[in-house]
Amino acid sequence: MRLLFDLALVAMLLVFLVVQMPRIGKGPPSKRSVCLNNLRQIGIAIRSYELATGKLPRATLVGDDGMPLHSWRTIILPFFDEGSLYDSIDLSKPWDHPVNVEARLQPTPDFLRCPSANLPHGMTTYLAIIAPDSCLQPGKGRTMSEITDEHANTILIIEVPPDMAVPWMSPWDTDEAVLKALCRAGNHLPHKSGLTALFLDGSTRIISHTFSEPEIRAWTSVSGNDGTEAF
């Protein structure tokens, strides 16, 4: 019964997302809107993964030797109807191992491509914030109960400029220092209005102001009640 309830919840979220998309006759959505919708879809997939497994996806899959093998972006592929692509990847071998070359040569999945970023083949600008107390952790998945800060003020994913793009299959992401720099980057950002970010509650925002370092720090922390006044 729990599984059926979870699947119904995910279906309801997807329907809500579709309804909120621009209606026919109102013209095509802006590139910024498409980008924010990509982040919302990522948020739904991450939440769907958590509902199915009881934990958030790991930031990276790691081998027995502790070396990173694959990214959270690969882990959530089945929740984007990308089961065939997911099944073609050998998760026991690194993302850039010859056995995974066929998957690596595939175009970047649509949900990982910002239309404002003119990227080389196979690249993405959607990166997780990785820190000792961030939501997504290398090698392990957090439970939602571990995250005691306000979910609406806890960042999961940000969009970085094209010159910071990474191969979408790679276990490469970013950190708090980069977030701080991007919050002050001005027109260096992919969207002139500010930094696009996905929060744990599934909301997306354009961060268009200069916040203090403690406020920025609060966005990456999962505990301490330090994020309730960040916005």
Side-chain angles (χ1 to χ4, degrees), residues 51-133:
L51 289 170
T53 67
K55 294 183 178 182
L56 293 169
R58 288 162 282 183
T60 56
L61 295 178
V62 299
D64 294 337
D65 57 0
M67 296 299 292
L69 301 177
H70 292 278
S71 165
W72 60 270
R73 292 175 288 267
T74 296
I75 296 172
I76 65 173
L77 282 175
F79 297 91
F80 282 98
D81 198 25
E82 292 281 3
S84 296
L85 177 57
Y86 178 83
D87 291 341
S88 72
I89 300 171
D90 187 340
L91 298 179
S92 69
K93 300 290 193 300
W95 70 279
D96 56 354
H97 190 278
V99 74
N100 289 319
V101 67
E102 184 176 346
R104 199 164 67 250
L105 291 177
Q106 296 297 312
T108 304
D110 287 343
F111 69 92
L112 293 173
R113 291 191 296 114
C114 171
S116 294
N118 185 17
L119 297 176
H121 183 88
M123 305 293 281
T124 185
T125 51
Y126 298 140
L127 278 58
I129 298 291
I130 308 300
D133 53 357

Side-chain angles (χ1 to χ4, degrees), residues 141-222:
R142 285 194 187 276
T143 62
M144 294 295 279
S145 62
E146 293 179 66
I147 303 169
T148 57
D149 276 353
E150 291 286 341
H151 292 184
N153 289 324
T154 304
I155 285 181
L156 279 171
I157 311 297
I158 63 171
E159 181 187 13
V160 299
D163 61 0
M164 297 177 65
V166 302
W168 76 267
M169 282 181 63
S170 71
W172 303 340
D173 283 283
T174 192
D175 57 24
E176 184 182 309
V178 171
L179 174 61
K180 291 177 180 177
L182 290 178
C183 283
R184 296 169 173 80
N187 59 13
H188 180 59
L189 296 171
H191 304 283
K192 293 181 180 179
S193 49
L195 176 72
T196 55
L198 168 69
F199 289 77
L200 183 59
D201 69 339
S203 64
T204 57
R205 300 179 211 169
I206 300 287
I207 302 172
S208 57
H209 300 86
T210 298
F211 291 93
S212 68
E213 289 210 0
E215 286 172 328
I216 296 171
R217 175 74 185 84
W219 299 339
T220 68
S221 171
V222 301

